[in-house]
Amino acid sequence: MFRFFLLVALAASIYQDQIGTYDWHKVHIGKVIEIHATTGGKSIAISDRGILAMIKPSGELEWRRVVSSIDTYPLFTMSLSGIFTYSSGVLTMWTIQEGQIVWSLYIPEVLQLVLITQGISEVLAVLTENTIEIISIQEGELMKKIYLVKPEKIVFKYKDSIFVMDKKKNILKINSKNWDIEKIDFGEDNEVICAKDSCVAINEKKAKVINNGEIKDINWEVGKIQGVLDKFYVCEGENLVEILEEEVKIIKQIGKHVPSENSQMWLVESSSSLTIYSLEASSISLPSSSIPVLKFWGYTNSKGEFLGYILYEDYSILCFRNTLIRWIREEGLGHTSSLYFLELPSREMHAHNQYFAYIKDHNTWSDVLTNFFLRIESQINHRNIELEALEKDSFAFKKLIIAVSKSEYIFAIQSLNSQIFWRLKVKNLIKVVQLSHEEAILIENDGDKTKLTYLDIILGKKIKEQIYDIETVDVLQIGNEEDSAVYLVDKDFKLLPVVKHSGPELFFYIINSKNGSIEGLKHNNGINSKVWAMKLGTGEKILTYITNKAGNIHQPAIATGTSRLVYKYADENLFAVASQKGQELFVYVINAISGHVIYRLHQDQVSGSIHLAFHEQKLYIHYWNIKYERYEIISAEFFKSNVDDSASDVLQSYYSGGFSTDYSSKFTPEVTVFTQTYVFPYGIKDMKFTTTLQGITKPSLVMILESNQIYLLDSAFLSPRRKLEDNHEEGLFDDPTLPIYKPNIPWSSINIANYFIELEGISKLATTETWLESTSVVIAYDLDMFLIRVMPEKSFDVLSEDFSKSAIVLTIGGLALLNILVQLWFSSKCAKENFNT
Amino acid sequence: MFIYLILGLAFSASITGEVFGPKNPAEKKFWNPLSVNIHLNGYKTTYLDASNSFVFHNVPDGIYVLEVLDHKHYYKTIVLEVLGENVVARDSNIFKGERIVYPLRMQAEKRHVYFEEREAFSIMSIFMNPMLLMTGFMLAVAFLMPKMKMDPEQMQEMKDMQKQMNSGWMSSLLSPPS
C-alpha cells in the first residue's frame, strides 16, 4: 500500500513556492466579434469561440465565461442592466461586474437579440425564425410573443417602433406600446441596405427610403452604396452620404477606410500610421502595424478623447485612448490549430552559421583576406548578435515554439518566457520542418501547387521560396537530425522528395477512412509499389490511429521478480488503428512494413470518442463503457514470447541467432500480449506519453481531462502485469515492483499539472525532450496555452528540492571537528598510559 | 432517422441542481461560487447563479457525466440518465448504485492538495545521519569498553591488541602530530 501511494506522489508533485517556475499559462478568449467599454476603463468582449470576458484596464482578464460550449458562435447584446448572450439554444443574462448568471432560458433558433425601450423600461426583443419574443430583463420571463412570416432581421429601432425586414425585403413596423404591426412594401427585387436608423432600396437613380420612421421616394444620384457608417452611407468614390428630407447629400470624401462598428468614426491605414477620424473633423494617429485591420470600434468621451479597439488580421486586439496604447491581447494564439517545437542554436553555432552564410556570398579572391580576419575575429569575440533570448540554454529547456493559428498567421514563441518573437502570415500551412538549428521549411498548399518557404527561425525572415507543381495532401519526414528526408505526398500518394535521404527504400502506409482500407507501400527511386493491403470488416468505421513513437529504447529487456529476462516487443514500425462498428470497438496493432497484424482487440458496449497512446511496448485505449456507465482504459503490453532464465540462456541465444533484443520488421516473432482494464473516473480529450532523449527514465502519461485539467499518470498503475492480490504464484512476466492490481486508478490532486490554474478550451498536447533525462516539456493548447516541465523521475539527474545542503556541511564539519578532538584525547590518553607503565 | 431526431428533441429534459460549499465554516467563508464551473460530458459548461443553482437546458436522452469543478474543493462526479423528462442520478464511482437525490445537491467533499509539503528543518535529521551514527557508535565503544569489568586475561589480550594497532596504520590517525 505504501509502495502504491509513493508512486502516486512521485508522478508530478511540485512545491507551492515553485508555482510559475516550471510552467506558464497564456489566457485567451479568441477572435473578438464584439467589444464594449464599461466603467473604470474595463471592457466586455465576446469572441467567435463562445467566450465572454471582462478585460481590465491592464489588458488582463477580470473574469471569463464559456457561453454554453466552446466554438458555438454566440449572439450578444448588452446595456447597463446586464449582458445578454445566446448560444446552443440558451438565452442567458449575466451581471457585468462579476459575470454571474442572472437567469437562463431555452429558446430554439434565435436569430438576433435587440434591447428596446418599452415605456420607461428596457426589454429584450428576441427574433426567432417566425416570432419576436419580448423577454423581461429582471425576471427573464416571456412577456409577449409576436408571430411574423419569415422575418430576416431587426434592421433598426426608432422611438417606440421596431423595424423588421422579412425575407421578401418588406419592412414590418412594430409598435412597442401596443404591438401593432404595419407592413410596408419596400425592397421588392432591389437590394436593401440599412444603416443605424434608416433603410434604402435603390432602383437605378431612384431610391425608396425609410428614415425617421417614415417611408419616402427620393432621387439617388450618389451611386451604389459600398458600406455603412453609423447613420450614414458610404457611396461610390468613398463619399459619405446623409439622407435629408427630400434628397441625399454628400458630406465628405473619406477615402479607403475601415468604418467603426458602433459610432460615426472611421480608420484610415497608411504605411506609417493609423489615423482615426470622427465626423466632428477631429482625428488622432496611432503607430501603424504591418498587419491589416479587420475591425474597429471607436468612441469619444465627454472630454473629447478618442477611445476604442482595433482588431487586426492576426486576431490581435488593441485598446487605445487618444494616442496611447492601453493594451494589446494576442488572440491569434486563441485559435492554435497545430504546434511545433524547434531547437535553438547555441551562441557558438549561430556565430559559425553567420560566418559561413557571409562567406557564401563573399567568395571571390578579393574577399579572401577579409574572410580570414573575420574568421579570427569570430573565434575571439562572437559577433554581436542579439541572440541571447533565442540561444539554447545548458539543458535545452529553451525551445522555439511555432504556433499555427487559424488566423493564417504563425507565431514564434520562446518556451521559457512565453514571449512572442515574430509572426508571419502563412496560408494553408501543412507542416513545419526544421532543417537545421536556424532554418525551417514551411510547406503550404497554394491551390494545385505547393509552396516551400525556407525560413530563418531566429529572425522570422524568408530566405527563399520554391514552388512545386503538385497539390500536397501530407508531408512525410523521416530520419534523424544528421540525415533527414522530407517527402511531399500528393492526392494520388506519389512522393516527391524535397530533402533527400541517404538511406535505401522508404516504407509508408495509407489509411483510407472512407472505405475502411489500409495499405502499405514501398517507395524506391521515385516509384511506389504496394507491399500489403488490408480491408476492415463490413460496417467498420476507422476512428483514429497512432504510431509507436518509441524513440530511443534504453531498456529493451526487463528483469522479472523470478530472475528472468523478458523482452519488450517495441518495434517503432508498429501502429495502432481503432475502428468501430455499432457499439463494438476494434483495435488493430499492425507492422507498417510487413502488414502483419500483431494483435487485434475487441471490446463491446463502447461509445463516445476513443483515444490512443502508444509507447515502446505499451498501448492504452480510453473509451466510454455503455454497460457499466463509466470511462475505462484498456492497457495492452507486448512482449516477445521467449524468456531467458539465466545468463547461459542469453549467451546461447546470442550464439545461435543474435541478441534477443534485436528484431526485424520483416519477420514477426511470437508475441505474448497482456491486457487489463482499468476504471478511470473522467473523460479525456487527448493523451500522450512524455519522451526523453535517451529513453532511460520512465515516461509519464499526460492526459487532458474534459474539465480542462491536465493529469499526469504513472504508467505503472496501468500495467497489465500487476499481480492479483490472491494470486500467490509468480508468473513468468510478473514484476514485483508493480503495485497489486486494483481496478480503479487512484486519483490524486497532486498529479494535476495545472494545479489551481483554470484552463479553458485546451484539446491538444505536444511534448518534446530536453537534455536532462529526467525532464520533458509538455504543452497543452487550442484556446489557452499551458506549458509545463514534467519530471516523472526528477531524482535521476537533479538533486531533490528538499536536499539539505546545510545538513551535509554541518555533518562534515562536525565529523572533522570530532576527528581532531578524538585525536587529541587519544594522544593524551596514550601519553598517560605510557607515563604510568 | 428524422423522426427519431424530432422525437429526441421533443423529449429532452433540463438538468438542475444546487452546489454547496464546504461544511466547515472556516473554509466556507473562503468559498467563491463565482469560480465554480459545471461541466456536462465536457462539452457543455454552465455556472452558478446568485442562489448557487445551475441548469442545463434541453438535454436530449442519453447518459451524461456531470462534474463540478472548483479549484479549491473536490466534488463527486455524477452519472445522469436522461429519458424524456426524467433524470436519474447516480454516483459515478458505484456501478448501478443507488440513486442520489435529484435535483442535484452537490456538496464540497475535501480540499484539493496540489503541492508537496516541504519538510521543515529538523535538528534530528542531522543526528540521524548514518555517518554520524556510525562514528558515535565507535566512540561510545572506545570509551565504554575499557570501563567494563572483564576477565584479567581478556583484558591483557585487549591491551596487546591495542598495542599492535598502535604500531600499525591506525596510530597515524589516532596519534597527535609531532
Side-chain angles (χ1 to χ4, degrees), chain A residues 663-723:
Chain A
Y663 39 69
S664 163
S665 288
K666 293 187 179 171
F667 306 100
T668 308
E670 204 179 316
V671 175
T672 300
V673 184
F674 296 92
T675 58
Q676 187 57 277
T677 304
Y678 292 93
V679 179
F680 188 72
Y682 301 105
I684 66 172
K685 296 189 208 177
D686 196 7
M687 64 177 177
K688 269 194 167 59
F689 276 100
T690 56
T691 50
T692 55
L693 266 183
Q694 304 302 329
I696 300 173
T697 52
K698 62 180 177 183
S700 194
L701 184 65
V702 186
M703 297 189 274
I704 299 179
L705 306 182
E706 282 182 339
S707 55
N708 294 309
Q709 291 173 304
I710 300 169
Y711 194 73
L712 303 175
L713 185 59
D714 189 331
S715 53
F717 286 106
L718 288 169
S719 174
R721 294 179 298 123
R722 284 168 68 179
K723 260 176 67 173

Side-chain angles (χ1 to χ4, degrees), chain A residues 319-489:
Chain A
C319 173
F320 65 89
R321 183 183 180 142
N322 276 341
T323 54
L324 187 68
I325 295 173
R326 279 171 131 184
W327 49 258
I328 301 177
R329 290 189 59 85
E330 298 288 353
E331 294 298 340
L333 291 174
H335 291 260
T336 306
S337 56
S338 57
L339 192 138
Y340 302 89
F341 281 104
L342 302 187
E343 292 295 332
L344 288 167
S346 59
R347 179 173 285 270
E348 293 76 18
M349 198 181 297
H350 185 70
H352 170 90
N353 290 340
Q354 286 268 314
Y355 170 70
F356 279 100
Y358 174 80
I359 64 168
K360 200 172 143 189
D361 295 325
H362 298 82
N363 53 7
T364 61
W365 281 109
S366 57
D367 294 315
V368 167
L369 199 60
T370 319
N371 292 346
F372 176 69
F373 285 121
L374 269 174
R375 183 80 172 136
I376 293 177
E377 189 202 345
S378 73
Q379 297 302 308
I380 300 165
N381 158 26
H382 294 299
R383 298 193 70 178
N384 189 17
I385 311 137
E386 289 297 320
L387 184 62
E388 206 177 297
L390 289 182
E391 180 185 305
K392 196 198 285 281
D393 59 316
S394 311
F395 299 116
F397 293 140
K398 205 189 284 182
K399 313 272 184 195
L400 191 69
I401 298 171
I402 302 291
V404 182
S405 166
K406 288 180 186 166
S407 62
E408 294 185 342
Y409 277 78
I410 61 171
F411 297 83
I413 306 167
Q414 199 246 63
S415 67
L416 279 188
N417 60 13
S418 72
Q419 191 184 343
I420 298 174
F421 274 83
W422 50 261
R423 70 198 69 197
L424 198 63
K425 185 168 168 76
V426 178
K427 272 190 176 184
N428 301 321
L429 183 70
I430 304 171
K431 198 160 184 166
V432 177
V433 174
Q434 184 164 21
L435 280 185
S436 68
H437 281 260
E438 292 193 35
E439 203 174 314
I441 313 178
L442 308 179
I443 302 170
E444 301 166 65
N445 232 337
D446 192 10
D448 53 357
K449 292 187 196 301
T450 300
K451 185 164 82 171
L452 266 62
T453 306
Y454 291 77
L455 187 73
D456 178 331
I457 65 170
I458 304 296
L459 300 172
K461 295 255 178 330
K462 294 181 185 180
I463 302 169
K464 66 176 180 183
E465 280 182 4
Q466 276 178 333
I467 306 277
Y468 289 88
D469 222 353
I470 70 165
E471 186 184 344
T472 303
V473 297
D474 204 350
V475 175
L476 291 183
Q477 184 185 3
I478 58 165
N480 52 30
E481 205 178 298
E482 286 88 38
D483 183 19
S484 68
V486 178
Y487 292 83
L488 303 180
V489 184

Side-chain angles (χ1 to χ4, degrees), chain A residues 86 88-91 103 105-110 126 128 131 133 135 142, chain B residues 57:
Chain A
Y86 176 82
S88 305
V90 181
L91 176 68
W103 48 256
L105 280 182
Y106 172 68
I107 306 179
E109 305 296 338
V110 168
V126 178
T128 70
T131 61
E133 297 185 20
I135 311 283
L142 178 65
Chain B
H57 293 280

Side-chain angles (χ1 to χ4, degrees), chain A residues 552-566:
Chain A
N552 267 326
I553 301 171
H554 182 78
Q555 189 189 2
I558 301 174
T560 68
T562 50
S563 305
R564 293 184 172 97
L565 273 184
V566 296

